[in-house]
């Protein structure tokens, strides 16, 4: 009896298959994008629910971040900066309506999600829709979720690096965002529409195409968590969970404020390991403009 037979009879193969099915979505039988069913027909409750999630979900999430922002101002959380010459502009603190309606902001992400949802059933362009968007199984796949974040942030880091070291690309996409020297949650997505397309939508689409075995629920969870984090690292005040993120090697609010002070440093948005690997990391404790957690005002 060979080793493969022993493993099969012991149930080891079935056990590993179940682990893959839960975490990564791999199956013992080969699965390709063409085996997945198409998205629901346009005239159906399921399709309308997908459209509602794609249209309303990101806006509601943005509103939740703004509520958190205004609550933080109300309870006077510890600020990142206190110098009168280095505090956010008043409109960057309060003008959430303009921020919510900016075409380069959440509306660009919503537009991208809607295009993915309607491309197959409405436009008949099934080939451009990532397989994960067609898999409607009600299951969150944690290892796929981790893969999404790892690849997305790496691609973002590469593009972000090019933006800051290629002057033409910087001035045609990213410089508007860096006119904000002291950011807030409200202006986290403020900039140019080309910047949102190049820095967020392109790596997002590439991630969904490259990482296998995802599904719509995991994509939605990934997009929601990423959206929340991208807003939080622009906050003008400290978060109680930042020390935990720091211990886990994740980008904190202090890390990203360094980037707005020294634009060619701290280019990562989720994993600080990328900056440490490529020599672009600066410890926030070396930036005198930032208050540290143990030196609250």
């Amino acid at each position: 009896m060979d080793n493969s037979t022993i493993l099969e009879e012991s149930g080891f193969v079935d056990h590993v298959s179940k682990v893959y099915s839960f975490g990564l979505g791999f199956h013992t039988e080969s699965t390709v994008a063409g085996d997945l069913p198409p998205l629901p027909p346009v005239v159906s409750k399921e399709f309308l629910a997908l459209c509602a999630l794609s249209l309303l979900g990101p806006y509601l999430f943005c509103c939740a971040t703004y509520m958190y922002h205004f609550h933080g101002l109300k309870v006077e959380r510890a600020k990142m900066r206190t110098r009168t010459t280095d505090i956010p502009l008043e409109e960057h603190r309060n003008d959430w309506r303009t921020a919510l309606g900016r075409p380069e902001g959440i509306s660009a992400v919503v537009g991208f999600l809607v295009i993915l949802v309607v491309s197959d059933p409405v436009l008949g362009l099934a080939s451009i829709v990532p397989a994960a968007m067609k898999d409607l199984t009600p299951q969150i796949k944690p290892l796929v979720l981790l893969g999404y974040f790892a690849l997305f942030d790496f691609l973002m880091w590469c593009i972000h690096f090019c933006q800051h070291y290629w002057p033409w690309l910087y001035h045609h996409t990213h410089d508007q965002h860096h006119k904000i020297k002291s950011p807030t949650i409200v202006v986290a997505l403020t900039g140019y529409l080309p910047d949102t397309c190049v820095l967020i939508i392109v790596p997002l689409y590439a991630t969904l195409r490259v990482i296998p075995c995802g599904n719509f629920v995991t994509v939605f969870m990934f997009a929601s968590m990423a959206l929340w984090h991208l807003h939080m690292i622009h906050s003008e005040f400290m978060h109680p969970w930042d020390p935990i993120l720091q211990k886990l090697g994740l980008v904190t609010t202090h890390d990203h404020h360094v980037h707005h002070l020294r634009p060619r440093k701290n280019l990562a948005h989720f994993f600080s390991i990328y900056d440490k690997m490529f020599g672009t990391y600066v410890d926030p404790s070396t930036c005198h403009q930032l208050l540290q957690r143990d030196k609250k005002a």
Side-chain angles (χ1 to χ4, degrees):
M1 183 180 296
D2 59 20
N3 291 337
S4 61
T5 304
I6 295 174
L7 289 174
E8 288 178 4
E9 290 185 355
S10 66
F12 179 79
V13 172
D14 288 340
H15 175 70
V16 172
S17 177
K18 288 177 182 178
V19 172
Y20 278 164
S21 178
F22 173 75
L24 291 174
F26 292 136
H27 303 284
T28 53
E29 298 179 1
S30 177
T31 302
V32 295
D35 296 331
L36 292 171
L39 288 173
V42 177
V43 185
S44 68
K45 294 180 180 179
E46 293 83 0
F47 184 75
L48 292 178
L50 286 177
C51 287
L53 274 176
S54 301
L55 281 170
L56 301 179
Y59 285 109
L60 293 176
F61 236 82
C62 269
C63 289
T65 67
Y66 297 159
M67 289 175 64
Y68 171 82
H69 164 75
F70 287 115
H71 176 71
L73 295 180
K74 182 178 180 181
V75 300
E76 298 184 344
R77 294 189 189 275
K79 297 291 194 297
M80 299 291 298
R81 316 182 196 187
T82 58
R83 294 183 178 183
T84 56
T85 58
D86 197 31
I87 60 176
L89 299 177
E90 200 61 30
E91 58 266 31
H92 293 170
R93 277 179 168 167
N94 296 313
D95 194 4
W96 63 271
R97 294 179 181 84
T98 298
L100 193 65
R102 285 183 177 276
E104 78 275 13
I106 195 60
S107 297
V109 179
V110 169
F112 169 70
L113 292 175
V114 170
I115 288 173
L116 290 185
V117 169
V118 305
S119 291
D120 186 2
V122 176
L123 303 176
L125 301 174
S127 61
I128 73 168
V129 182
M133 299 293 290
K134 298 181 180 182
D135 186 346
L136 304 181
T137 54
Q139 176 188 40
I140 296 175
K141 301 180 179 181
L143 295 183
V144 172
L145 186 65
L146 179 61
Y148 282 159
F149 275 109
L151 181 58
F152 181 57
D153 196 35
F154 176 72
L155 295 176
M156 285 186 76
W157 187 95
C158 293
I159 295 169
H160 206 187
F161 181 90
C162 291
Q163 286 180 314
H164 282 284
Y165 284 85
W166 181 6
W168 182 91
L169 186 62
Y170 178 76
H171 290 297
H172 285 81
T173 59
H174 200 51
D175 71 340
Q176 186 68 27
H177 183 67
H178 275 278
K179 290 179 180 178
I180 303 169
K181 301 300 182 184
S182 188
T184 70
I185 288 174
V186 171
V187 293
L189 300 181
T190 295
Y192 287 147
L193 180 58
D195 187 27
T196 305
C197 293
V198 169
L199 187 58
I200 296 179
I201 292 178
V202 168
L204 174 58
Y205 183 69
T207 297
L208 298 183
R209 297 289 296 193
V210 170
I211 299 295
C213 308
N215 59 5
F216 186 88
V217 173
T218 305
V219 170
F220 188 79
M221 178 65 69
F222 161 64
S224 300
M225 293 172 66
L227 182 64
W228 177 267
H229 183 75
L230 288 173
H231 277 81
M232 292 301 109
I233 60 176
H234 285 86
S235 174
E236 66 178 284
F237 49 79
M238 304 177 195
H239 306 302
W241 58 80
D242 274 341
I244 299 174
L245 296 185
Q246 185 178 25
K247 290 179 180 178
L248 293 175
L250 302 178
V251 172
T252 67
T253 315
H254 278 86
D255 290 325
H256 196 68
H257 268 256
V258 171
H259 175 65
H260 277 263
L261 291 167
R262 304 180 187 178
R264 290 190 171 185
K265 301 297 181 181
N266 291 14
L267 301 170
H269 291 84
F270 298 94
F271 299 101
S272 57
I273 187 64
Y274 292 136
D275 284 311
K276 293 175 181 178
M277 286 172 55
F278 298 114
T280 53
Y281 183 75
V282 169
D283 190 328
S285 65
T286 65
C287 291
H288 66 275
Q289 299 97 323
L290 299 179
L291 284 175
Q292 304 306 314
R293 185 166 290 275
D294 58 347
K295 297 179 182 179
K296 297 179 183 178

